Amino acid sequence: MSLLHSTSSDDSKAKARAGKVPKRYFLFLLLTLFIVSSLAAGNHYNIFSPGKTVLMLSRWAAIAVIVGYALYKRSLTTWILISMILGAEFGYDLPQVAVKMQVVSMIFLRLIKTIIAPLLFATLVVGIAGHSNLKQVGRMGWKSLLYFEIVSTIALFIGLLAINISKAGVGVNVPDIVSQTNIPSVPETTGTDLILHIFPENIAKAVYEGQVLQIVVFSIIFGIAVALIRDKYKSPMLRFTEALAETMFKFTQLIMYFAPFAVFAAIAYSIGHMGIDILFNLFKLLATLYVSLIIFLLAVLLPVALLFKIPVRKFIKAVSEPVVLAFATTSSESALPIAMERMEEFGVPRKIVAFVMPTGYSFNLDGTTLYLSLATIFVAQIAGIHLPLEKQLLIVFTLMLTSKGVAGVPRASLVILLGTAASFGLPAWPIYIILGIDELMDMARTSVNVLGNCLATAVIARWEGEFNPAPEIGRQ
């Protein structure tokens, strides 16, 4: 027993050492960044002129030191962020080569697209049919879905309003060769066509064409059918869909190892083709997302907590650990076990936590839904496509459905964004640009996803009259 304990302890220490950066190296990194920043500032303000060659060499020296930092950290998140810096510098210094690197990011996006149909199908069917007694959870179910729909719809409209105010995608000087590459010609459609487009006539055709909304409708009806059949037939179908969902989670994880290369290529291509000014719009988009998420927390979730008499300070203390974990890993799924445990300690009965939390992971991704409405309009803005109000509202209505069913998979929102763009005839190339800062945006929206679902469990428990907040939140 002691040998096992010692081995486990040694493994924990080894993992801790693997991600630890020596203090001396960290100080060396800060010193390098200070020197490079000083050279750039001095050149910009004409204090002294080190020359373009010296400036370029100093930047690459700083990047080499940053890469060394990533080697110490051994973190995919760190590598993705550093790939963004590498791509920006490469695109700036070698634009002729960078413009030919789009194929790398296209490979990544093609792999991501393959996840759309099986992931949506599996998560929706499991979410709907995974309960043994629909009558028993019926009341809790309609309350949860009503709450999810109201809150997530508000999030969609906040995202829509924010991007229309900030206009983060307006004003980008896109060369004709880029802007005309992937914009499809979209025929005029009537209201009848739009309604019929929601419902699939052939599920294989819907999967082939990437019609996300049709896949969602099929999956919902299929899930209801599975829930209504006898256990003899329901059990193998649930086992299959659960296995399919887990397989797609792992599939996504494997693809994400390719993400640093895709991010490098996407940023290098963007800057090589469009210049360094594109970063202003990217960070303007990032700021728009963070500000709108903060507004959502303060103007929506906080009033909801006060309305249902949820003790806010204790709630923040309870959710701080899972929210920080979600922020660091950019995965809602990684925070699910600890979030459920903390909400039980907070005073929410296990039966409510066990139903509301997993259901919320499919139907209540507040941060993701806000981001999707914001990012979809950004794609149109940067492509120079004017979307009238009625078209934007239709996009919001579509996202109300297509944003459901995607559980806590890192960067799964990219899947929905691609599907939404394709459904409304928007080009795909602006999404390659967004990919450059998707990691930074994913941290924020994933944290809000976890926070929103934790609050949902407390709200439903209070609504059911079964919320018993503990005086102090302890740990077992």
Side-chain angles (χ1 to χ4, degrees), residues 60 63 66 80-90 263-264 267:
W60 279 106
I63 287 174
I66 293 173
I80 289 175
L81 292 173
I82 289 174
S83 295
M84 185 175 71
I85 300 172
L86 280 168
E89 184 63 31
F90 190 90
V263 168
F264 171 82
I267 285 291

Side-chain angles (χ1 to χ4, degrees), residues 147 151 296-306 366 448 451-452 455:
Y147 173 82
V151 174
F296 175 75
L297 292 176
L298 297 178
V300 180
L301 295 190
L302 179 60
V304 166
L306 296 175
D366 299 328
V448 174
L451 182 65
L455 179 61

Side-chain angles (χ1 to χ4, degrees), residues 43-75:
N43 180 73
H44 180 75
Y45 292 106
N46 296 318
I47 299 174
F48 51 85
S49 181
K52 289 184 178 181
T53 302
V54 172
L55 285 173
M56 184 180 70
L57 290 176
S58 68
R59 292 196 301 269
W60 279 106
I63 287 174
V65 176
I66 293 173
V67 170
Y69 173 84
L71 291 173
Y72 277 113
K73 291 291 289 183
R74 299 183 185 179
S75 163

Side-chain angles (χ1 to χ4, degrees), residues 248-267:
M248 298 317 299
F249 293 158
K250 185 60 66 176
F251 189 89
T252 303
Q253 291 174 14
L254 292 175
I255 291 177
M256 288 316 302
Y257 286 116
F258 187 63
F261 302 99
V263 168
F264 171 82
I267 285 291

Side-chain angles (χ1 to χ4, degrees), residues 186-220:
V186 183
E188 290 290 329
T189 54
T190 64
T192 303
D193 293 331
L194 291 172
I195 294 172
L196 288 175
H197 188 69
I198 296 173
F199 302 96
E201 61 177 336
N202 185 321
I203 187 60
K205 180 182 177 184
V207 171
Y208 174 75
E209 295 179 351
Q211 299 294 342
V212 178
L213 189 55
Q214 294 183 13
I215 296 169
V216 168
V217 171
F218 175 84
S219 301
I220 289 173

Side-chain angles (χ1 to χ4, degrees), residues 6 23 30 35 55 132 211 235 239 335 373-374:
S6 175
K23 187 176 181 181
L30 293 178
I35 293 173
L55 285 173
S132 58
Q211 299 294 342
S235 297
R239 285 197 300 270
S373 64
L374 184 149

